[in-house]
Amino acid sequence: EDTTTLTLSGRRSVRLVLRELAIADDTVTLSAELAGEAYSNGRRDSFRPGGKAGRRLAGGIWASVVRGPVIAVVNPAFQEKLRDDPEFTGVKNTELSGRMQTAYVAVSGETGDLLFGRVARNWGPDLFDGLMVSPSPFAFDAVAGALRISRFELTSIGQRLDDWTSPSGLPFNRYFLAHRLSIHVASGIWLGFVETGVYGGPGRGVEPSMHAP
């Protein structure tokens, strides 16, 4: 999770806890949940109209493995509400509609992190979703990393988006990039610089130079 909203002493406390966890025995966690939900708008973004009303079942499994600095997490879930969500582009014609909500492998340390997989992120304040990166859309597979040096933290995200088809029927490959430089100015005060972009084209592949901060 992002920790840029913590004070400097709070970040030091988190690092101390991380050190203690690194020393502790490796852990394996497994949990499951089952729920029922009723809704008047099946769309994920409930402030936008268009989703159907209904009553559906939901459930999922959370499994995680920690081996020193390496963390692996999988969180498959079914949510029948997805059938009524016009923004969901996955399979809807099966008995149970679901998706992989979270699934990643990460290496985490005091000076940086490296992650591959999907996980919801928020680059906004505590009470609101970020304008550039937020958990509002469905999470996609991505490569993300962070570098922490003193009062500075540089975070970068790169991911492949769904293809876009032009009016002429030509498919366009699309890629998303996001960079954030956070500076701890004083107690409770952070200064952030964010850059995001989308690039692509017919048959265009990943361009590492586009993802350089």
Side-chain angles (χ1 to χ4, degrees):
E1 295 183 358
D2 298 326
T3 58
T4 54
T5 56
L6 294 177
T7 63
L8 185 58
S9 60
R11 288 168 61 81
R12 287 173 178 167
S13 299
V14 170
R15 289 169 184 165
L16 288 173
V17 172
L18 289 175
R19 290 196 193 102
E20 294 296 327
L21 290 176
I23 298 173
D25 293 336
D26 297 334
T27 60
V28 176
T29 302
L30 179 64
S31 62
E33 62 179 358
L34 180 65
E37 55 185 350
Y39 47 89
S40 59
N41 183 357
R43 189 185 288 269
R44 181 179 176 88
D45 184 357
S46 60
F47 289 98
R48 298 176 57 195
K52 299 179 181 179
R55 295 185 298 273
R56 303 282 191 177
L57 289 175
I61 297 174
W62 176 278
S64 64
V65 178
V66 179
R67 291 289 185 269
V70 180
I71 305 170
V73 175
V74 290
N75 177 212
F78 74 89
Q79 187 177 22
E80 294 186 312
K81 176 184 175 182
L82 295 174
R83 298 181 186 178
D84 298 325
D85 188 345
E87 294 181 356
F88 180 66
T89 58
V91 178
K92 296 184 179 182
N93 57 357
T94 58
E95 299 229 352
L96 292 176
S97 294
R99 66 187 190 89
M100 187 66 72
Q101 294 190 131
T102 304
Y104 64 85
V105 176
V107 179
S108 182
E110 182 178 351
T111 58
D113 311 306
L114 182 61
L115 178 146
F116 174 75
R118 63 176 59 184
V119 60
R121 290 175 172 270
N122 184 24
W123 283 6
D126 290 341
L127 298 178
F128 306 98
D129 290 345
L131 296 177
M132 303 295 184
V133 177
S134 79
S136 295
F138 295 107
F140 283 84
D141 293 336
V143 176
L147 177 63
R148 293 179 286 273
I149 301 177
S150 184
R151 294 175 176 266
F152 300 88
E153 180 171 351
L154 178 63
T155 307
S156 182
I157 301 174
Q159 63 185 138
R160 172 77 181 270
L161 300 177
D162 289 342
D163 293 343
W164 175 75
T165 303
S166 67
S168 62
L170 189 64
F172 278 64
N173 297 339
R174 300 188 306 152
Y175 304 89
F176 173 77
L177 59 92
H179 308 121
R180 180 181 65 180
L181 175 62
S182 303
I183 305 173
H184 185 224
V185 179
S187 178
I189 301 177
W190 285 86
L191 183 62
F193 300 90
V194 179
E195 172 191 32
T196 61
V198 175
Y199 69 93
R204 191 171 181 179
V206 177
E207 298 181 9
S209 60
M210 296 291 294
H211 294 268

